[in-house]
């Protein structure tokens, strides 16, 4: 008999807000929110603490809207570097329990503890509780953990009880714990899909599971097939090793020069060769990058680096080279001799599905979502676009700009 896997999905509760409260404990006892642009009343709420949540403050609304419900709301600006730093620390803690740790977003990770949980506890649930305590005492924030035999239900579980809770969904419990839930609780069921399904009176995950898979595939294409597999509890996606995730994250190339570089022509030549190789490797791997980083080491071993996030992911030599050159003009003082140069492409995505430009028609049609990574990017893109739309609407003083929907090839307005 094959044993069920044991997979955790760990989700930090109100992550940005929790980190801000950690660094400034006086924020703990007041309603507070992290907002994109706190000086501007049109700035958008990115996260809120439990008190603000109780007062009705919502993520993605404007400060104006939030303050109408919660007049004494304190807003702070985001510290993204810090969130990243803590995210790394948290994943390092998870790595004590298994080498199969896969960050899913800045504050969410999957851990496969199938081969290890019994080294730490009497049950998977006990280990999950132990990890929650560990994060609480060593980091100072709370997390929710979903425990199940596949990633989809582990993720679902972490969402069911929060903050600071463990939810177990065993195979024999699917009927009671999963199939009774509304369809939008299932990952990848967005607003468009939800509407389509509800129109057909498919309202719960159980309704989905009981449908003929071929019917769902006809209705929603590839996504329908995936959702059917998920609803029936048949997802078998693996949690890769953390080292594998890290390796896949960037493609970079550096050179230490025999003679220090001191002129622009020399530096341009160096950047050109490095960019060409990075481009080549990206294309071989069928990846595009949305962040380009340049690093240099001076003759006296000082290391400096700078990176740029690009609106459109790139893989072409010329795009990488131009970005690298631009970064270099900001980095180099035009006199310090340079010993080492490196160009690195990060935030990689599969070229086939990479996001090329803001297409308000495309982003809501998740027909091609197959891998978890893509979904994450899609979600981030969707969030970003929603924020942009909110911002533009606020600026022009009405809500005339809405997201266009595309269904069955026809264009309609939502
Ligand atoms: Mg979270």
């Amino acid at each position: 008999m094959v044993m069920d896997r044991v997979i955790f999905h760990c989700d930090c509760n109100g992550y940005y807000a929790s980190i801000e409260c950690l660094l400034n404990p006086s924020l703990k006892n007041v309603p507070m929110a992290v907002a994109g642009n706190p000086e501007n009343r049109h700035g958008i709420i990115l996260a809120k603490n439990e008190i603000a949540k109780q007062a009705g403050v919502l993520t993605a609304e404007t400060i104006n809207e939030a303050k109408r419900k919660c007049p004494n709301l304190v807003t702070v600006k985001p510290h993204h570097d810090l969130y990243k730093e803590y995210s790394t620390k948290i994943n390092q803690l998870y790595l004590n329990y298994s080498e199969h740790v896969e960050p899913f977003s800045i504050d969410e990770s999957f851990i496969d503890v199938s081969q290890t949980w019994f080294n730490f506890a009497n049950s998977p649930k006990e280990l999950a509780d132990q990890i929650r305590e560990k994060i609480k005492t060593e980091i100072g924030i709370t997390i929710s953990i979903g425990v199940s035999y596949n990633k989809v239900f582990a993720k679902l579980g972490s969402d069911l009880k929060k903050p600071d809770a463990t939810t177990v969904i065993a195979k024999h419990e699917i009927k009671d714990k999963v199939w009774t839930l509304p369809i939008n609780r299932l990952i990848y069921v967005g607003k468009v899909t939800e509407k389509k399904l509800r129109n057909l009176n498919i309202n719960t995950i159980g309704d989905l599971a009981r449908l003929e898979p071929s019917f769902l595939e006809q209705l929603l294409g590839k996504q329908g097939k995936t959702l059917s597999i998920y609803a029936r509890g048949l997802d078998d996606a693996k949690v890769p090793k953390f080292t594998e995730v890290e390796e896949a994250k960037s493609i970079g190339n550096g050179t230490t020069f025999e003679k220090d570089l001191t002129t622009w022509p020399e530096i341009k030549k160096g950047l050109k060769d490095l960019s060409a190789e990075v481009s080549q490797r990206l294309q071989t791997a069928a990846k595009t990058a949305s962040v380009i980083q340049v690093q240099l080491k001076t003759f006296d071993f000082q290391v400096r680096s700078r990176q740029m996030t690009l609106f459109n992911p790139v893989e072409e030599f010329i795009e990488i080279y131009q970005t690298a050159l631009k970064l270099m003009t900001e980095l180099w003082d035009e006199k310090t001799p340079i010993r080492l140069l490196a160009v690195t492409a990060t935030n990689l995505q599969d070229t086939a599905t990479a996001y090329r430009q803001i297409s308000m028609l495309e982003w809501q049609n998740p027909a091609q979502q197959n891998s978890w990574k893509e979904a994450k990017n899609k979600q981030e893109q969707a969030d970003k676009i929603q924020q942009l739309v909110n911002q533009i609407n606020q600026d022009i003083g009405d809500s005339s700009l809405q997201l266009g929907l595309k269904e069955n090839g026809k264009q309609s307005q939502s």
Side-chain angles (χ1 to χ4, degrees), residues 153-400:
F153 290 170
K155 168 126 175 94
L156 190 94
S158 71
D159 218 27
L160 288 182
K161 236 183 284 159
K162 50 190 182 185
D164 200 12
T166 301
T167 302
V168 180
I169 301 175
K171 217 175 226 173
H172 67 271
E173 297 172 312
I174 300 176
K175 221 174 150 185
D176 295 331
K177 287 190 178 172
V178 177
W179 286 5
T180 48
L181 296 170
I183 41 172
N184 60 345
R185 285 289 190 138
L186 194 61
I187 188 164
Y188 297 163
V189 177
K191 288 225 164 72
V192 179
T193 307
E194 184 187 355
K195 203 174 153 202
K196 262 190 204 172
L197 292 171
R198 285 198 187 271
N199 282 342
L200 295 169
N201 212 19
I202 303 161
N203 296 307
T204 64
I205 298 178
D207 292 343
L208 258 184
R210 281 182 287 267
L211 279 177
E212 202 43 60
S214 59
F215 170 79
L216 266 173
E217 193 174 354
Q218 237 168 31
L219 184 72
L220 302 168
K222 208 166 151 192
Q223 186 204 9
K225 199 172 163 184
T226 307
L227 288 182
S228 174
I229 290 169
Y230 289 176
R232 287 179 288 144
L234 302 177
D235 163 48
D236 63 356
K238 304 239 174 328
V239 180
K241 285 185 187 171
F242 190 71
T243 47
E244 293 167 356
V245 179
E246 288 298 298
E247 269 164 31
K249 261 205 226 153
S250 71
I251 287 180
N253 194 15
T255 307
T256 305
F257 299 96
E258 281 177 31
K259 186 177 142 287
D260 292 349
L261 309 184
T262 51
T263 68
W264 270 118
E266 288 170 337
I267 286 169
K268 282 185 180 171
K269 170 82 171 59
L271 288 177
K272 223 175 204 169
D273 293 344
L274 293 169
S275 302
E277 193 174 328
V278 168
S279 167
Q280 194 71 63
R281 285 172 59 196
L282 278 171
Q283 292 182 33
T284 307
K287 300 276 183 195
T288 64
S290 50
V291 174
I292 300 294
Q293 187 197 55
V294 170
Q295 194 186 54
L296 64 82
K297 199 190 272 174
T298 60
F299 74 105
D300 54 352
F301 299 102
Q302 296 204 42
V303 177
R304 294 179 210 154
S305 75
R306 215 174 180 99
Q307 64 175 47
M308 184 186 271
T309 304
L310 301 162
F311 192 70
N312 288 323
V314 298
E315 83 263 344
E316 295 293 338
F317 157 71
I318 188 69
E319 298 167 313
I320 296 168
Y321 172 66
Q322 278 172 346
T323 311
L325 193 58
K326 189 157 183 249
L327 290 167
M328 197 61 196
T329 55
E330 296 167 19
L331 262 181
W332 191 43
D333 57 10
E334 304 202 331
K335 48 178 191 280
T336 311
I338 290 170
R339 178 146 303 172
L340 174 145
L341 273 180
V343 174
T344 307
T346 64
N347 286 35
L348 305 187
Q349 316 171 37
D350 294 334
T351 306
T353 49
Y355 206 66
R356 272 278 154 191
Q357 56 188 352
I358 284 202
S359 160
M360 295 203 179
L361 300 178
E362 267 169 29
W363 76 275
Q364 276 202 333
N365 184 7
Q368 310 235 338
Q369 292 179 355
N370 236 354
S371 85
W372 291 76
K373 239 177 225 142
E374 272 169 54
K376 184 196 143 210
N377 288 327
K378 283 256 160 71
Q379 189 53 50
E380 280 174 8
Q381 287 151 7
D383 290 347
K384 227 173 261 164
I385 294 168
Q386 187 60 57
Q387 283 174 22
L388 268 177
V389 168
N390 288 352
Q391 189 70 64
I392 295 166
N393 279 337
Q394 286 295 326
D395 289 346
I396 60 177
D398 70 11
S399 57
S400 60

Side-chain angles (χ1 to χ4, degrees), residues 11-131:
D11 187 357
C12 303
N13 306 126
Y15 184 59
Y16 291 4
S18 302
I19 300 296
E20 295 295 339
C21 290
L22 199 61
L23 295 159
N24 180 359
S26 72
L27 293 171
K28 249 182 195 164
N29 306 313
V30 296
M32 72 80 73
V34 181
N37 191 358
E39 308 80 39
N40 181 338
R41 294 178 66 80
H42 300 321
I44 285 166
I45 305 288
L46 302 173
K48 69 269 169 190
N49 70 359
E50 214 33 55
I51 305 173
K53 192 176 172 181
Q54 298 297 330
V57 174
L58 301 172
T59 300
E61 68 184 353
T62 62
I63 294 178
N64 252 345
E65 290 166 322
K67 285 207 166 164
R68 228 170 281 146
K69 288 176 271 187
C70 183
N72 51 345
L73 182 71
V74 177
T75 54
V76 299
K77 69 170 192 293
H79 297 92
H80 291 288
D81 289 350
L82 217 63
Y83 307 151
K84 260 190 213 150
E85 212 175 282
Y86 272 90
S87 179
T88 307
K89 277 190 208 167
I90 292 166
N91 279 304
Q92 288 303 321
L93 277 181
Y94 295 154
L95 281 166
N96 291 327
Y97 302 95
S98 166
E99 53 181 349
H100 292 266
V101 172
E102 180 187 24
F104 184 56
S105 71
I106 192 154
D107 73 323
E108 294 174 44
S109 297
F110 288 102
I111 316 176
D112 185 333
V113 292
S114 309
Q115 306 300 324
T116 52
W117 66 264
F118 39 81
N119 295 329
F120 302 99
N122 294 314
S123 69
K125 159 102 170 49
E126 203 183 290
L127 176 59
D129 291 340
Q130 203 178 307
I131 293 177

